[in-house]
PDB file of all heavy atoms in Angstrom:
ATOM      1  N   CYS A 378      81.265  75.391  88.914  1.00  0.00           N
ATOM      2  CA  CYS A 378      80.558  74.159  89.268  1.00  0.00           C
ATOM      3  C   CYS A 378      80.264  74.163  90.760  1.00  0.00           C
ATOM      4  O   CYS A 378      81.178  74.060  91.586  1.00  0.00           O
ATOM      5  CB  CYS A 378      81.390  72.942  88.886  1.00  0.00           C
ATOM      6  SG  CYS A 378      80.629  71.374  89.329  1.00  0.00           S
ATOM      7  N   ASN A 379      78.987  74.337  91.097  1.00  0.00           N
ATOM      8  CA  ASN A 379      78.531  74.303  92.496  1.00  0.00           C
ATOM      9  C   ASN A 379      79.296  75.286  93.379  1.00  0.00           C
ATOM     10  O   ASN A 379      79.572  74.999  94.545  1.00  0.00           O
ATOM     11  CB  ASN A 379      78.672  72.883  93.069  1.00  0.00           C
ATOM     12  CG  ASN A 379      77.755  71.886  92.383  1.00  0.00           C
ATOM     13  OD1 ASN A 379      76.645  72.219  91.970  1.00  0.00           O
ATOM     14  ND2 ASN A 379      78.219  70.655  92.253  1.00  0.00           N
ATOM     15  N   GLU A 380      79.630  76.426  92.843  1.00  0.00           N
ATOM     16  CA  GLU A 380      80.392  77.423  93.602  1.00  0.00           C
ATOM     17  C   GLU A 380      79.464  78.564  94.006  1.00  0.00           C
ATOM     18  O   GLU A 380      79.565  79.697  93.531  1.00  0.00           O
ATOM     19  CB  GLU A 380      81.587  77.898  92.771  1.00  0.00           C
ATOM     20  CG  GLU A 380      82.575  76.761  92.561  1.00  0.00           C
ATOM     21  CD  GLU A 380      83.726  77.107  91.655  1.00  0.00           C
ATOM     22  OE1 GLU A 380      83.532  77.111  90.439  1.00  0.00           O
ATOM     23  OE2 GLU A 380      84.833  77.349  92.173  1.00  0.00           O
ATOM     24  N   ARG A 381      78.582  78.219  94.901  1.00  0.00           N
ATOM     25  CA  ARG A 381      77.525  79.116  95.324  1.00  0.00           C
ATOM     26  C   ARG A 381      78.057  80.323  96.089  1.00  0.00           C
ATOM     27  O   ARG A 381      77.449  81.392  96.092  1.00  0.00           O
ATOM     28  CB  ARG A 381      76.548  78.327  96.194  1.00  0.00           C
ATOM     29  CG  ARG A 381      75.337  79.068  96.660  1.00  0.00           C
ATOM     30  CD  ARG A 381      74.392  78.101  97.362  1.00  0.00           C
ATOM     31  NE  ARG A 381      73.200  78.748  97.857  1.00  0.00           N
ATOM     32  CZ  ARG A 381      72.169  78.098  98.390  1.00  0.00           C
ATOM     33  NH1 ARG A 381      72.215  76.777  98.474  1.00  0.00           N
ATOM     34  NH2 ARG A 381      71.119  78.742  98.827  1.00  0.00           N
ATOM     35  N   GLU A 382      79.190  80.126  96.757  1.00  0.00           N
ATOM     36  CA  GLU A 382      79.705  81.192  97.621  1.00  0.00           C
ATOM     37  C   GLU A 382      80.305  82.357  96.846  1.00  0.00           C
ATOM     38  O   GLU A 382      80.412  83.463  97.384  1.00  0.00           O
ATOM     39  CB  GLU A 382      80.775  80.620  98.571  1.00  0.00           C
ATOM     40  CG  GLU A 382      80.276  79.562  99.533  1.00  0.00           C
ATOM     41  CD  GLU A 382      80.239  78.170  98.910  1.00  0.00           C
ATOM     42  OE1 GLU A 382      80.673  78.047  97.746  1.00  0.00           O
ATOM     43  OE2 GLU A 382      79.788  77.228  99.571  1.00  0.00           O
ATOM     44  N   VAL A 383      80.719  82.136  95.592  1.00  0.00           N
ATOM     45  CA  VAL A 383      81.537  83.145  94.918  1.00  0.00           C
ATOM     46  C   VAL A 383      81.020  83.556  93.539  1.00  0.00           C
ATOM     47  O   VAL A 383      81.643  84.389  92.890  1.00  0.00           O
ATOM     48  CB  VAL A 383      82.995  82.635  94.773  1.00  0.00           C
ATOM     49  CG1 VAL A 383      83.662  82.507  96.124  1.00  0.00           C
ATOM     50  CG2 VAL A 383      83.024  81.305  94.030  1.00  0.00           C
ATOM     51  N   TYR A 384      79.906  82.979  93.078  1.00  0.00           N
ATOM     52  CA  TYR A 384      79.478  83.261  91.705  1.00  0.00           C
ATOM     53  C   TYR A 384      79.146  84.736  91.486  1.00  0.00           C
ATOM     54  O   TYR A 384      79.373  85.288  90.406  1.00  0.00           O
ATOM     55  CB  TYR A 384      78.274  82.380  91.336  1.00  0.00           C
ATOM     56  CG  TYR A 384      76.982  82.757  92.008  1.00  0.00           C
ATOM     57  CD1 TYR A 384      76.085  83.630  91.393  1.00  0.00           C
ATOM     58  CD2 TYR A 384      76.650  82.257  93.259  1.00  0.00           C
ATOM     59  CE1 TYR A 384      74.899  83.989  92.006  1.00  0.00           C
ATOM     60  CE2 TYR A 384      75.471  82.606  93.883  1.00  0.00           C
ATOM     61  CZ  TYR A 384      74.594  83.475  93.253  1.00  0.00           C
ATOM     62  OH  TYR A 384      73.419  83.833  93.868  1.00  0.00           O
ATOM     63  N   GLN A 385      78.609  85.399  92.512  1.00  0.00           N
ATOM     64  CA  GLN A 385      78.223  86.802  92.347  1.00  0.00           C
ATOM     65  C   GLN A 385      79.426  87.698  92.097  1.00  0.00           C
ATOM     66  O   GLN A 385      79.372  88.611  91.276  1.00  0.00           O
ATOM     67  CB  GLN A 385      77.462  87.279  93.586  1.00  0.00           C
ATOM     68  CG  GLN A 385      76.022  86.788  93.655  1.00  0.00           C
ATOM     69  CD  GLN A 385      75.314  87.320  94.884  1.00  0.00           C
ATOM     70  OE1 GLN A 385      75.873  87.341  95.985  1.00  0.00           O
ATOM     71  NE2 GLN A 385      74.079  87.749  94.721  1.00  0.00           N
ATOM     72  N   GLN A 386      80.531  87.435  92.814  1.00  0.00           N
ATOM     73  CA  GLN A 386      81.681  88.336  92.699  1.00  0.00           C
ATOM     74  C   GLN A 386      82.310  88.248  91.325  1.00  0.00           C
ATOM     75  O   GLN A 386      82.709  89.264  90.747  1.00  0.00           O
ATOM     76  CB  GLN A 386      82.709  88.006  93.783  1.00  0.00           C
ATOM     77  CG  GLN A 386      83.378  86.652  93.625  1.00  0.00           C
ATOM     78  CD  GLN A 386      84.254  86.323  94.811  1.00  0.00           C
ATOM     79  OE1 GLN A 386      83.905  86.646  95.938  1.00  0.00           O
ATOM     80  NE2 GLN A 386      85.368  85.674  94.565  1.00  0.00           N
ATOM     81  N   SER A 387      82.436  87.046  90.767  1.00  0.00           N
ATOM     82  CA  SER A 387      83.061  86.923  89.452  1.00  0.00           C
ATOM     83  C   SER A 387      82.167  87.498  88.358  1.00  0.00           C
ATOM     84  O   SER A 387      82.639  88.229  87.477  1.00  0.00           O
ATOM     85  CB  SER A 387      83.383  85.460  89.150  1.00  0.00           C
ATOM     86  OG  SER A 387      82.206  84.676  89.193  1.00  0.00           O
ATOM     87  N   ILE A 388      80.878  87.187  88.408  1.00  0.00           N
ATOM     88  CA  ILE A 388      79.961  87.718  87.391  1.00  0.00           C
ATOM     89  C   ILE A 388      79.902  89.236  87.469  1.00  0.00           C
ATOM     90  O   ILE A 388      79.954  89.938  86.451  1.00  0.00           O
ATOM     91  CB  ILE A 388      78.568  87.102  87.554  1.00  0.00           C
ATOM     92  CG1 ILE A 388      78.616  85.595  87.270  1.00  0.00           C
ATOM     93  CG2 ILE A 388      77.560  87.773  86.629  1.00  0.00           C
ATOM     94  CD1 ILE A 388      77.296  84.880  87.502  1.00  0.00           C
ATOM     95  N   GLY A 389      79.808  89.776  88.685  1.00  0.00           N
ATOM     96  CA  GLY A 389      79.752  91.225  88.845  1.00  0.00           C
ATOM     97  C   GLY A 389      81.012  91.914  88.366  1.00  0.00           C
ATOM     98  O   GLY A 389      80.957  92.962  87.712  1.00  0.00           O
TER      99      GLY A 389
END
Side-chain angles (χ1 to χ4, degrees):
C378 178
N379 295 326
E380 294 175 282
R381 184 173 179 173
E382 297 84 4
V383 293
Y384 72 93
Q385 284 181 317
Q386 67 187 37
S387 59
I388 295 176

